[in-house]
Amino acid sequence: KEATKDLPQLSLSKAVMRRYAGSRLWRIGLLADVGGALCLLAALSMAPVSLIQPVSGCGMAILAVFSHFYLREELQANERAGVVVAMAGTVGVGLTVELFEDSLPATLASLGLLCGYGGVFALLELQIRRACSALARDRDHRNVAAGAEELAEASAAAATAAAAARRVELAAGAQAGLLFGLSSAAARTGLLLSQLLVAEYGAPARGLAPLGIAASVGFSASGIFAQNRGMKEGRAIVVCTYAAMVTIATGVLTGLLALNEQVPRRHRLGWLLSLALILAGVGLLVKKDPSSKKLGKDHV
């Protein structure tokens, strides 16, 4: 986030990629992301996605502290509450998940989920493009504003831009979350197939693990790209919270439906309550604080 302040919007352009690669601070952040992905990969080799993804959401606590003291980002009261409630839910899911015997993935369910995820991703991309266009118009109004009428138009454009920035936070974070969730699912699928099929097919089955890891790397790289887009226009803690929530939801949904992981039996109520806390946390982040709205009107 700090590095992107002096960098253009991330794209696949060679000139833009060179700018990012030349930023020492951005490279440090990228290495931290890669290091976290390697730790996650090691965890996925030992436990189900529906357990690992919720537990990984605990990193939001560290991110919240880091964003406050290093990035100097302030959250509204409802957003702070949303982060706390969501973190409580992620911890609860991790504590209530039970380990079961591994089984082969469900092919039809996997294909159906991939199609569904693809459709959601496309809709989110459409929202991001519309929001970025609104932000670009706001910048143009600020550059040309001079008289009273132009200033009034610029003020209206600024209000629209604020709403657009929130949409970018939500959509980019959700996109990143989908990709990170698919990254974990791909790695787990490759490792799982390799372990379960090696007895029947021998050495060729071991090649499935590298394929799953390669797909995981591709999804993770795309997730980092999507997350950077959100951080460029929005607040790091909010973008990463959305990403973490969608990652958890994607991991749990994929684990249960596609990888045949099971809902906890002894702690089913606690598990459902934890998922409800996650949804409540996301709802608080999406909900606009009435006090901030009033403050904005007074300021205008």
Side-chain angles (χ1 to χ4, degrees):
K1 168 66 176 180
E2 188 69 19
T4 58
K5 290 181 179 179
D6 300 320
L7 294 171
Q9 180 68 266
L10 184 61
S11 70
L12 296 179
S13 164
K14 290 183 178 179
V16 173
M17 294 302 292
R18 279 197 296 268
R19 288 279 304 276
Y20 274 81
S23 170
R24 179 175 176 272
L25 194 58
W26 188 82
R27 291 198 304 270
I28 292 173
L30 181 62
L31 287 175
D33 274 331
V34 172
L38 291 176
C39 292
L40 184 61
L41 182 61
L44 287 168
S45 67
M46 298 179 282
V49 175
S50 57
L51 170 61
I52 298 302
Q53 287 301 148
V55 172
S56 69
C58 296
M60 287 187 298
I62 299 173
L63 176 63
V65 175
F66 184 82
S67 295
H68 177 72
F69 289 103
Y70 181 69
L71 298 179
R72 306 294 185 212
E73 291 189 349
E74 294 294 335
L75 296 176
Q76 299 173 8
N78 62 298
E79 291 171 332
R80 291 195 295 270
V83 170
V84 172
V85 171
M87 284 192 295
T90 60
V91 173
V93 169
L95 292 175
T96 56
V97 167
E98 300 171 8
L99 297 180
F100 295 92
E101 186 177 350
D102 293 333
S103 59
L104 289 172
T107 305
L108 290 179
S110 300
L111 292 175
L113 280 176
L114 282 175
C115 292
Y117 291 152
V120 171
F121 189 91
L123 291 175
L124 291 171
E125 180 64 26
L126 181 61
Q127 287 298 316
I128 290 175
R129 291 179 182 273
R130 288 177 176 175
C132 286
S133 296
L135 290 169
R137 288 195 298 270
D138 172 61
R139 295 188 186 101
D140 292 339
H141 277 294
R142 290 182 183 180
N143 291 334
V144 302
E149 185 176 345
E150 288 82 359
L151 287 173
E153 292 180 358
S155 178
T160 303
R166 288 193 294 273
R167 291 201 303 274
V168 171
E169 289 174 344
L170 172 59
Q175 275 191 336
L178 274 174
L179 292 166
F180 291 145
L182 287 172
S183 171
S184 298
R188 177 63 181 169
T189 300
L191 294 167
L192 189 63
L193 289 174
S194 178
Q195 293 169 6
L196 296 177
L197 298 179
V198 68
E200 184 176 352
Y201 297 99
R206 297 186 187 278
L208 295 172
L211 285 177
I213 292 173
S216 176
V217 170
F219 282 126
S220 290
S222 301
I224 292 172
F225 177 88
Q227 193 166 261
N228 268 276
R229 282 206 301 179
M231 289 182 179
K232 179 65 179 175
E233 303 293 350
R235 295 156 294 173
I237 181 63
V238 177
V239 173
C240 291
T241 299
Y242 283 133
M245 295 301 97
V246 177
T247 300
I248 291 166
T250 304
V252 171
L253 190 63
T254 305
L256 295 178
L257 298 182
L259 301 181
N260 287 323
E261 297 170 4
Q262 300 180 39
V263 174
R265 295 172 183 170
R266 289 180 298 172
H267 307 291
R268 182 169 299 181
L269 182 59
W271 185 77
L272 292 173
L273 178 61
S274 299
L275 291 182
L277 286 175
I278 293 174
L279 294 175
V282 173
L284 286 170
L285 284 170
V286 175
K287 180 179 171 61
K288 188 172 182 181
D289 192 341
S291 62
S292 68
K293 186 176 181 181
K294 181 179 184 300
L295 204 69
K297 288 181 177 179
D298 292 343
H299 177 70
V300 173

